[in-house]
Amino acid sequence: MPEFVHIAVQDYLSALNGPEDGLLQEVRARALADGVPAISPDTGRLLDVLAASSAPGRILEIGTGYGSSGMHLASALAPGGMLFTIERDPARAAIARQHFERAGLASRVSVMVGEAARLVHKVAGPFDLILQDGPKDLYEPLLDRLVGLLRPGGVLVSDNILWQGDVMPGFRSEPAHSAESSAIISRYSQRLAADPRLSTVFLPVGDGVAVSARRDGGAS
Ligand SMILES: C[S@@+](CC[C@H](N)C(=O)[O-])C[C@H]1O[C@@H](n2cnc3c(N)ncnc32)[C@H](O)[C@@H]1O
Protein backbone atom coordinates (compact mmCIF):
# COMPACT_ATOMS: atom_id res chain seq x y z
CA MET A 1 0.00 0.00 0.00
CA PRO A 2 1.57 3.35 -0.98
CA GLU A 3 1.69 6.13 1.60
CA PHE A 4 -0.64 9.04 0.90
CA VAL A 5 0.87 11.27 3.54
CA HIS A 6 4.52 11.60 4.50
CA ILE A 7 5.65 8.33 6.09
CA ALA A 8 6.82 10.13 9.23
CA VAL A 9 3.42 11.78 9.63
CA GLN A 10 1.70 8.47 8.99
CA ASP A 11 3.84 6.68 11.58
CA TYR A 12 3.37 9.47 14.14
CA LEU A 13 -0.42 9.44 13.79
CA SER A 14 -0.67 5.64 13.67
CA ALA A 15 1.38 5.42 16.88
CA LEU A 16 -1.03 7.86 18.56
CA ASN A 17 -4.00 5.84 17.27
CA GLY A 18 -2.41 2.84 18.96
CA PRO A 19 -2.39 -0.84 18.06
CA GLU A 20 -5.49 -2.92 17.53
CA ASP A 21 -6.37 -5.40 20.22
CA GLY A 22 -5.02 -8.94 20.01
CA LEU A 23 -8.02 -10.59 18.34
CA LEU A 24 -8.26 -7.86 15.70
CA GLN A 25 -4.56 -8.32 14.96
CA GLU A 26 -5.09 -12.07 14.63
CA VAL A 27 -8.09 -11.60 12.30
CA ARG A 28 -6.12 -9.13 10.17
CA ALA A 29 -3.18 -11.54 9.91
CA ARG A 30 -5.49 -14.38 8.90
CA ALA A 31 -7.18 -12.21 6.27
CA LEU A 32 -3.81 -11.12 4.90
CA ALA A 33 -2.58 -14.72 4.74
CA ASP A 34 -5.73 -15.78 2.85
CA GLY A 35 -5.74 -12.78 0.50
CA VAL A 36 -8.97 -11.39 1.97
CA PRO A 37 -9.09 -7.57 2.14
CA ALA A 38 -9.50 -5.85 5.50
CA ILE A 39 -9.73 -2.20 6.49
CA SER A 40 -6.53 -0.63 7.79
CA PRO A 41 -6.02 -0.31 11.57
CA ASP A 42 -6.33 3.50 11.28
CA THR A 43 -9.60 3.12 9.37
CA GLY A 44 -10.70 0.83 12.19
CA ARG A 45 -9.99 3.62 14.69
CA LEU A 46 -12.01 6.02 12.53
CA LEU A 47 -14.93 3.58 12.59
CA ASP A 48 -14.57 3.26 16.38
CA VAL A 49 -14.86 7.02 16.81
CA LEU A 50 -17.67 7.54 14.30
CA ALA A 51 -19.67 4.75 15.86
CA ALA A 52 -18.92 5.73 19.45
CA SER A 53 -19.99 9.33 18.81
CA SER A 54 -23.50 8.29 17.83
CA ALA A 55 -24.08 5.14 19.94
CA PRO A 56 -25.72 3.54 16.90
CA GLY A 57 -28.62 1.17 17.27
CA ARG A 58 -28.49 -0.13 13.71
CA ILE A 59 -25.49 -0.45 11.44
CA LEU A 60 -25.30 -1.87 7.90
CA GLU A 61 -22.11 -3.09 6.26
CA ILE A 62 -21.58 -4.12 2.65
CA GLY A 63 -18.63 -6.54 2.47
CA THR A 64 -18.02 -8.58 5.64
CA GLY A 65 -14.75 -10.23 4.66
CA TYR A 66 -13.34 -11.93 7.75
CA GLY A 67 -15.08 -9.44 10.04
CA SER A 68 -12.35 -6.90 10.90
CA SER A 69 -14.47 -3.82 10.22
CA GLY A 70 -17.57 -5.52 11.61
CA MET A 71 -15.79 -6.12 14.93
CA HIS A 72 -14.98 -2.42 15.16
CA LEU A 73 -18.55 -1.44 14.31
CA ALA A 74 -20.39 -3.96 16.46
CA SER A 75 -18.26 -3.10 19.51
CA ALA A 76 -19.71 0.42 19.49
CA LEU A 77 -23.38 -0.53 19.18
CA ALA A 78 -25.80 0.83 21.75
CA PRO A 79 -27.35 -1.81 24.05
CA GLY A 80 -29.76 -3.91 22.01
CA GLY A 81 -28.25 -2.65 18.74
CA MET A 82 -27.51 -4.79 15.66
CA LEU A 83 -24.98 -4.86 12.87
CA PHE A 84 -26.28 -6.30 9.58
CA THR A 85 -23.35 -7.26 7.37
CA ILE A 86 -23.57 -8.61 3.83
CA GLU A 87 -21.11 -11.09 2.30
CA ARG A 88 -21.42 -13.02 -0.95
CA ASP A 89 -18.85 -15.72 -0.11
CA PRO A 90 -20.30 -18.33 2.30
CA ALA A 91 -16.84 -19.51 3.43
CA ARG A 92 -15.81 -15.96 4.36
CA ALA A 93 -19.15 -15.41 6.10
CA ALA A 94 -18.60 -18.57 8.18
CA ILE A 95 -15.13 -17.45 9.23
CA ALA A 96 -16.44 -13.96 10.09
CA ARG A 97 -19.13 -15.55 12.26
CA GLN A 98 -16.42 -17.43 14.16
CA HIS A 99 -14.60 -14.15 14.74
CA PHE A 100 -17.75 -12.37 15.96
CA GLU A 101 -18.35 -15.31 18.30
CA ARG A 102 -14.84 -15.13 19.72
CA ALA A 103 -15.21 -11.36 20.19
CA GLY A 104 -18.42 -11.91 22.17
CA LEU A 105 -20.36 -10.03 19.49
CA ALA A 106 -22.33 -12.86 17.84
CA SER A 107 -25.67 -11.87 19.36
CA ARG A 108 -25.28 -8.35 17.95
CA VAL A 109 -24.30 -9.30 14.41
CA SER A 110 -26.41 -10.72 11.59
CA VAL A 111 -24.23 -11.99 8.74
CA MET A 112 -26.36 -12.05 5.58
CA VAL A 113 -24.96 -14.31 2.87
CA GLY A 114 -25.67 -13.36 -0.71
CA GLU A 115 -25.47 -10.66 -3.35
CA ALA A 116 -25.30 -7.16 -1.94
CA ALA A 117 -27.39 -5.74 -4.78
CA ARG A 118 -30.27 -8.03 -3.74
CA LEU A 119 -29.83 -8.02 0.03
CA VAL A 120 -29.78 -4.22 0.43
CA HIS A 121 -33.43 -4.43 -0.60
CA LYS A 122 -34.14 -7.06 2.06
CA VAL A 123 -33.11 -4.84 4.95
CA ALA A 124 -35.30 -2.07 6.28
CA GLY A 125 -33.96 1.29 7.40
CA PRO A 126 -33.29 3.52 9.05
CA PHE A 127 -29.63 2.89 9.82
CA ASP A 128 -27.45 5.16 11.91
CA LEU A 129 -24.27 4.14 10.15
CA ILE A 130 -23.49 2.33 6.90
CA LEU A 131 -20.08 1.05 5.80
CA GLN A 132 -19.70 0.55 2.06
CA ASP A 133 -16.75 -1.81 1.63
CA GLY A 134 -18.18 -4.21 -0.94
CA PRO A 135 -17.38 -4.64 -4.64
CA LYS A 136 -16.39 -1.31 -6.13
CA ASP A 137 -18.59 -1.68 -9.21
CA LEU A 138 -21.60 -1.63 -6.89
CA TYR A 139 -20.67 1.58 -5.05
CA GLU A 140 -22.43 3.90 -7.47
CA PRO A 141 -25.43 1.65 -8.30
CA LEU A 142 -26.16 1.18 -4.57
CA LEU A 143 -25.68 4.79 -3.51
CA ASP A 144 -29.31 5.87 -3.79
CA ARG A 145 -30.50 2.82 -1.88
CA LEU A 146 -27.94 3.34 0.89
CA VAL A 147 -28.74 7.05 1.24
CA GLY A 148 -32.41 6.11 1.45
CA LEU A 149 -31.61 3.63 4.24
CA LEU A 150 -29.77 6.23 6.34
CA ARG A 151 -31.57 8.25 8.96
CA PRO A 152 -31.16 12.03 8.67
CA GLY A 153 -27.78 12.77 10.26
CA GLY A 154 -26.74 9.16 9.69
CA VAL A 155 -23.28 8.49 8.30
CA LEU A 156 -22.16 6.60 5.19
CA VAL A 157 -18.50 5.54 5.23
CA SER A 158 -17.01 4.48 1.88
CA ASP A 159 -13.64 2.72 1.92
CA ASN A 160 -10.93 2.50 -0.76
CA ILE A 161 -11.65 5.83 -2.40
CA LEU A 162 -7.92 6.25 -3.21
CA TRP A 163 -7.73 2.71 -4.68
CA GLN A 164 -4.05 2.47 -3.79
CA GLY A 165 -3.46 5.73 -5.64
CA ASP A 166 -4.79 4.49 -8.96
CA VAL A 167 -7.53 7.13 -9.03
CA MET A 168 -4.78 9.74 -9.40
CA PRO A 169 -3.27 9.47 -12.89
CA GLY A 170 0.52 9.20 -12.68
CA PHE A 171 0.64 8.58 -8.92
CA ARG A 172 1.97 5.05 -9.43
CA SER A 173 4.20 3.96 -12.27
CA GLU A 174 2.58 0.51 -12.20
CA PRO A 175 -1.16 0.71 -11.43
CA ALA A 176 -2.39 -1.98 -9.02
CA HIS A 177 -5.89 -2.07 -10.50
CA SER A 178 -7.57 -1.88 -13.89
CA ALA A 179 -8.21 1.50 -15.45
CA GLU A 180 -11.90 0.59 -15.49
CA SER A 181 -12.10 0.00 -11.72
CA SER A 182 -10.15 3.19 -11.05
CA ALA A 183 -12.60 5.14 -13.22
CA ILE A 184 -15.51 3.59 -11.30
CA ILE A 185 -14.10 4.76 -7.96
CA SER A 186 -13.29 8.24 -9.31
CA ARG A 187 -16.79 8.63 -10.64
CA TYR A 188 -18.27 7.49 -7.34
CA SER A 189 -16.21 10.03 -5.39
CA GLN A 190 -17.25 12.83 -7.76
CA ARG A 191 -20.84 11.80 -7.29
CA LEU A 192 -20.51 11.78 -3.49
CA ALA A 193 -18.89 15.21 -3.57
CA ALA A 194 -21.73 16.65 -5.66
CA ASP A 195 -24.63 14.89 -3.91
CA PRO A 196 -26.87 17.52 -2.30
CA ARG A 197 -28.32 14.91 0.09
CA LEU A 198 -24.91 14.39 1.67
CA SER A 199 -22.16 16.39 3.32
CA THR A 200 -18.92 14.54 2.54
CA VAL A 201 -15.28 14.71 3.54
CA PHE A 202 -12.54 12.68 1.82
CA LEU A 203 -9.73 11.53 4.11
CA PRO A 204 -6.27 10.02 3.38
CA VAL A 205 -6.77 7.35 6.03
CA GLY A 206 -5.85 3.79 5.08
CA ASP A 207 -6.73 3.36 1.39
CA GLY A 208 -8.78 6.58 1.47
CA VAL A 209 -12.10 6.97 3.21
CA ALA A 210 -15.11 9.15 2.37
CA VAL A 211 -17.33 10.06 5.32
CA SER A 212 -20.77 11.38 4.33
CA ALA A 213 -23.50 12.64 6.65
CA ARG A 214 -27.07 12.55 5.35
CA ARG A 215 -28.74 15.91 5.47
CA ASP A 216 -32.41 16.13 6.42
CA GLY A 217 -34.65 15.19 3.53
CA GLY A 218 -32.07 12.82 2.02
CA ALA A 219 -34.44 9.91 1.53
CA SER A 220 -34.82 8.82 -2.09
C1 LIG B 1 -13.06 -5.29 0.95
S1 LIG B 1 -13.70 -6.82 1.40
C2 LIG B 1 -14.47 -6.49 2.95
C3 LIG B 1 -13.52 -6.33 4.09
C4 LIG B 1 -14.18 -6.09 5.43
N1 LIG B 1 -15.09 -4.95 5.38
C5 LIG B 1 -13.14 -5.86 6.50
O1 LIG B 1 -12.61 -4.74 6.58
O2 LIG B 1 -12.82 -6.81 7.20
C6 LIG B 1 -15.11 -6.96 0.35
C7 LIG B 1 -15.94 -8.21 0.57
O3 LIG B 1 -17.09 -8.10 -0.26
C8 LIG B 1 -17.41 -9.39 -0.73
N2 LIG B 1 -18.18 -9.26 -1.98
C9 LIG B 1 -17.70 -9.14 -3.24
N3 LIG B 1 -18.70 -9.01 -4.12
C10 LIG B 1 -19.85 -9.05 -3.41
C11 LIG B 1 -21.22 -8.96 -3.76
N4 LIG B 1 -21.60 -8.82 -5.04
N5 LIG B 1 -22.14 -9.01 -2.78
C12 LIG B 1 -21.76 -9.17 -1.48
N6 LIG B 1 -20.46 -9.26 -1.10
C13 LIG B 1 -19.52 -9.19 -2.04
C14 LIG B 1 -16.07 -10.08 -0.93
O4 LIG B 1 -16.21 -11.49 -0.87
C15 LIG B 1 -15.23 -9.49 0.20
O5 LIG B 1 -15.18 -10.36 1.31
Side-chain angles (χ1 to χ4, degrees), residues 112-145:
M112 304 171 70
V113 182
E115 280 294 324
R118 184 176 63 83
L119 291 178
V120 292
H121 296 282
K122 298 278 178 198
V123 292
F127 287 94
D128 303 295
L129 180 57
I130 299 177
L131 173 62
Q132 174 53 284
D133 194 22
K136 308 314 158 194
D137 60 346
L138 286 185
Y139 273 32
E140 203 180 357
L142 295 190
L143 180 61
D144 284 343
R145 175 62 183 164

Side-chain angles (χ1 to χ4, degrees), residues 41-193:
D42 288 344
T43 306
R45 288 295 296 151
L46 178 62
L47 293 180
D48 291 342
V49 173
L50 288 172
S53 67
S54 62
R58 288 166 54 79
I59 303 177
L60 176 64
E61 175 182 55
I62 317 299
T64 313
Y66 277 5
S68 296
S69 48
M71 288 164 65
H72 281 278
L73 293 169
S75 300
L77 282 163
M82 278 299 285
L83 165 68
F84 298 84
T85 179
I86 296 174
E87 172 59 54
R88 180 175 64 181
D89 183 329
R92 290 183 183 185
I95 289 169
R97 282 194 184 105
Q98 290 170 11
H99 293 149
F100 293 132
E101 185 80 45
R102 285 182 60 199
L105 297 168
S107 64
R108 284 184 265 170
V109 182
S110 170
V111 181
M112 304 171 70
V113 182
E115 280 294 324
R118 184 176 63 83
L119 291 178
V120 292
H121 296 282
K122 298 278 178 198
V123 292
F127 287 94
D128 303 295
L129 180 57
I130 299 177
L131 173 62
Q132 174 53 284
D133 194 22
K136 308 314 158 194
D137 60 346
L138 286 185
Y139 273 32
E140 203 180 357
L142 295 190
L143 180 61
D144 284 343
R145 175 62 183 164
L146 297 188
V147 173
L149 286 171
L150 272 181
R151 69 163 167 80
V155 169
L156 169 66
V157 180
S158 307
D159 196 25
N160 306 109
I161 51 104
L162 287 173
W163 210 218
Q164 296 188 257
D166 287 348
V167 291
M168 298 173 286
F171 182 78
R172 294 166 66 104
S173 48
E174 289 290 327
H177 305 285
S178 69
E180 186 191 2
S181 66
S182 301
I184 283 170
I185 302 263
S186 298
R187 205 168 51 235
Y188 176 73
S189 293
Q190 296 295 333
R191 185 153 165 214
L192 278 184

